[in-house]
Amino acid sequence: MAESRTPDQVVARAARSADLADLDAGVSDCFACPRLVGWREEVARTRRAAFRDQEYRGRPVPGFGPGDARIAILGLAPAAHGGNRTGRIFTGDRSGDVLFAALHRAGLANQPTSVAADDGLTLRDTRIFSAVRCAPPDNKPTPDERDTCAPWLHREVTLIRPTLRVVVALGAFAWAAWWPVLRHVYGQRPPSPRPAFGHGAHWSGAAVPELLGCYHVSQQNTFTGRLTPGMLDDVFGRAKQLAEVD
């Protein structure tokens, strides 16, 4: 399968993805952002001491979850020693520990942990993906990298559009990444001014998914108590209610 090495190639490859499996394969073969490619591969070579005996995937990380999801969770980007190592979003790091424990409590995941791509985890009515598909240095993609990666996000939302009812944006970056989706996928002009991000923020438009804001499940938020398990439970409970998921 042809690799995507320029923004135009990303646009073309994403557009011709016939289904989620095809899209995931295209994401995995993306080399369009030199800085991100260099970083993800350097991390995979040097590794963290705790994972020295493991082989890092060191590639872009596709979405995870069923194609008929009613709830989508939109993150920022994979973690350098999490998804960049394991190949599955929010898997193998502290953020994933918090997220999947919450999804399990909400009845949206069959187990509370996510440690490896073959650990038996499955999601119900939920798909998780990120605005940027490669691990960025300092968890900070550039605007150009965000825009280059956007066609993957737009196509993924297009493919799950028939069932998608609610999007939970983890953090301000994901919240901002959602607005262009309205134009590219739903043919609607984003609201102006943009609604402000905040934990528990809720935006509703006509014939588009409901948007909920949630503080990111980063250690910076969870270790300091800015984001608690109860706060996550409230967000996912609200998402289930809006999506009409039992």
Side-chain angles (χ1 to χ4, degrees), residues 164-215:
L164 182 61
R165 298 294 178 265
V166 178
V167 174
V168 178
L170 298 179
F173 188 96
W175 180 267
W178 177 250
W179 304 120
V181 175
L182 296 182
R183 178 180 294 108
H184 289 277
V185 177
Y186 293 92
Q188 293 196 21
R189 180 178 298 176
S192 181
R194 303 286 191 268
F197 169 76
H199 185 82
H202 178 200
W203 178 82
S204 181
V208 299
E210 308 279 340
L211 179 65
L212 295 176
C214 178
Y215 288 148

Side-chain angles (χ1 to χ4, degrees), residues 49-191:
F51 308 123
R52 188 74 66 196
D53 61 340
Q54 298 184 24
E55 183 177 349
Y56 279 49
R57 187 170 180 271
R59 306 276 285 207
V61 181
F64 174 65
D68 60 351
R70 298 178 68 83
I71 299 170
I73 299 173
L74 177 59
L76 190 163
H81 301 283
N84 189 55
R85 172 173 59 89
T86 64
R88 191 170 70 197
I89 192 70
F90 283 112
T91 296
D93 60 23
R94 294 291 181 87
S95 295
D97 292 344
V98 173
L99 177 62
F100 285 104
L103 291 175
H104 183 254
R105 291 193 301 271
L108 299 174
N110 70 324
Q111 62 190 43
T113 58
S114 181
V115 297
D118 59 356
D119 62 6
L121 175 68
T122 60
L123 299 180
R124 181 175 74 91
D125 291 310
T126 306
R127 187 164 174 89
I128 305 175
F129 40 74
S130 55
V132 174
R133 305 304 168 102
C134 289
D138 300 320
N139 293 319
K140 294 180 180 178
T142 67
D144 284 346
E145 290 163 350
R146 175 202 61 202
D147 295 345
T148 296
C149 210
W152 302 123
L153 171 62
H154 299 164
R155 185 59 180 165
E156 191 152 8
V157 174
T158 297
L159 291 170
I160 66 174
R161 177 178 175 176
T163 58
L164 182 61
R165 298 294 178 265
V166 178
V167 174
V168 178
L170 298 179
F173 188 96
W175 180 267
W178 177 250
W179 304 120
V181 175
L182 296 182
R183 178 180 294 108
H184 289 277
V185 177
Y186 293 92
Q188 293 196 21
R189 180 178 298 176

Side-chain angles (χ1 to χ4, degrees), residues 5 30-42 58 134-135:
R5 292 189 174 273
C30 188
F31 293 81
C33 298
R35 188 182 77 112
L36 297 186
V37 172
W39 174 250
R40 78 191 193 204
E41 293 180 352
E42 178 185 351
C134 289

